[in-house]
Amino acid sequence: MPELPEVETIRRQLRKKIVGKKLDNKKIVGVRRRAKILIIDFNDGSSLLFHLKLTGQLIFNGEKGPYTRQIFKFSDGTQLIFNDVRKFGWWKYIKSSKDIEKTFGPEALETSLNVFQDILQKRPNAKIKPLLMDQKFIAGIGNIYSDEILFAAKVQPLRRVKTLTSGEIKAIWSNIGKILKEAIKNRGTSERDYVDALGKKGDYLKYLKVYRKEGQKCPRCGGTVKRIKIGSRSAHFCPRCQR
DNA sequence: ACAATATCCTGCGAGC
DNA sequence: TGCTCGCAGGATATTG
């Protein structure tokens, strides 16, 4: 499931490939990311947005397959393939991308500790895991990385914000940065469908500590990783060393 | 205003 | 072996 590191990986690769090319006679001037949305900017101020949701793929010069939903052809003959098995993903042209900014909370990798503390203070009763995944609260984190961040911070996913110590808040914040950056370095996590813009799998799967590790040994304390439901999402954690 | 939950979709894997 | 059924989850809408 593409989260911030996966979309960022695609952005960096795509930028090198398509900036300067023309699509529908409009010149591509940049490739950005906001939250989990990939944004291709054109010289006339318009933009093409993509959300990959759960199973979307954006592959430069990929080949058409059974789940190809759209093909974007550039004027030089190269193309961008949008695949999506489950059809949750979308793309759309917009005249101006000005309104995108306020749809989301601060970017996860651009949130200072002070800002993080401030926005947490406004949500004392929220459970920490769903809150980290709330894009209006902080942008870019999904189910995989929220589990990994909370494991690294030794915080149990059901904890309410108001019960967190300042040390725990600091640990969550610093691990947001640490884990997302490490995941970007490894071009994301290919748990199932995700591939990068070159069609290659990400390498971060092997570094996951708790996500999808139910019943396995906790790599930190030797406890047993547990899976619970929070809302309709699964949360993985070690009940022995995450408190 | 905030918190919790149902909903969309379809391939896959567990279980019989 | 082959079938059924439940599960996976991002974001939005709806309900409490």
Side-chain angles (χ1 to χ4, degrees):
Chain A
M1 309 100 229
E3 303 180 27
L4 184 152
E6 289 76 24
V7 182
E8 180 63 20
T9 298
I10 291 171
R11 184 193 76 80
R12 292 179 184 188
Q13 295 172 329
L14 219 46
R15 169 134 89 162
K16 291 185 205 157
K17 297 287 186 188
I18 68 171
V19 168
K21 291 186 197 291
K22 280 185 175 175
L23 184 67
D24 292 344
N25 244 353
K26 292 185 289 191
K27 194 172 174 184
I28 295 167
V29 294
V31 183
R32 288 183 292 143
R33 179 189 56 76
R34 179 70 172 109
K36 302 172 191 171
I37 301 203
L38 187 89
I39 306 167
I40 297 178
D41 290 315
F42 299 101
N43 61 333
D44 65 350
S46 65
S47 303
L48 176 56
L49 310 187
F50 293 92
H51 199 309
L52 302 178
K53 293 283 183 100
L54 306 179
T55 57
Q57 302 176 327
L58 265 179
I59 307 176
F60 180 74
N61 268 351
E63 302 215 338
K64 187 179 177 185
Y67 306 113
T68 298
R69 307 297 176 198
Q70 189 66 276
I71 299 176
F72 301 88
K73 291 183 185 283
F74 305 110
S75 56
D76 66 352
T78 57
Q79 59 185 16
L80 186 61
I81 300 281
F82 185 92
N83 296 330
D84 189 12
V85 171
R86 264 139 94 185
K87 297 180 176 174
F88 284 123
W90 51 259
W91 63 92
K92 64 178 172 189
Y93 282 99
I94 53 169
K95 284 245 165 72
S96 162
S97 59
K98 264 184 280 176
D99 293 340
I100 295 174
E101 212 30 55
K102 47 194 165 197
T103 317
F104 301 103
E107 276 293 314
L109 285 177
E110 292 162 22
T111 305
S112 68
L113 178 57
N114 273 343
V115 168
F116 189 59
Q117 287 165 332
D118 283 353
I119 56 179
L120 276 176
Q121 212 166 15
K122 293 174 192 162
R123 306 290 292 276
N125 293 311
K127 294 169 183 160
I128 187 61
K129 177 178 161 83
L131 188 60
L132 288 179
M133 293 168 61
D134 181 346
Q135 304 304 300
K136 290 188 184 68
F137 173 73
I138 192 168
I141 302 169
N143 210 31
I144 297 177
Y145 295 108
S146 58
D147 276 358
E148 295 298 312
I149 289 162
L150 290 174
F151 174 78
K154 300 185 182 177
V155 173
Q156 213 262 14
L158 283 169
R159 289 277 298 281
R160 305 268 172 182
V161 168
K162 62 186 172 196
T163 72
L164 297 174
T165 66
S166 60
E168 286 171 332
I169 290 172
K170 206 171 170 179
I172 294 169
W173 173 80
S174 64
N175 281 296
I176 288 173
K178 189 178 166 214
I179 286 175
L180 293 180
K181 282 176 191 163
E182 280 171 8
I184 292 171
K185 255 185 212 162
N186 285 278
R187 298 174 8 270
T189 303
S190 289
E191 201 263 328
R192 183 162 287 182
D193 299 273
Y194 168 74
V195 291
D196 66 19
L198 309 177
K200 284 173 62 185
K201 293 188 172 211
D203 291 330
Y204 196 72
L205 183 69
K206 61 185 175 218
Y207 298 110
L208 297 182
K209 304 281 202 296
V210 287
Y211 181 77
R212 288 272 186 134
K213 307 280 184 190
E214 184 186 17
Q216 297 184 34
K217 236 182 170 182
C218 167
R220 183 167 53 208
C221 77
T224 304
V225 176
K226 198 175 170 188
R227 180 166 68 100
I228 59 170
K229 285 275 180 188
I230 304 179
S232 52
R233 297 290 160 266
S234 57
H236 309 76
F237 67 103
C238 173
R240 193 160 138 192
C241 61
Q242 280 175 268
R243 297 288 166 180

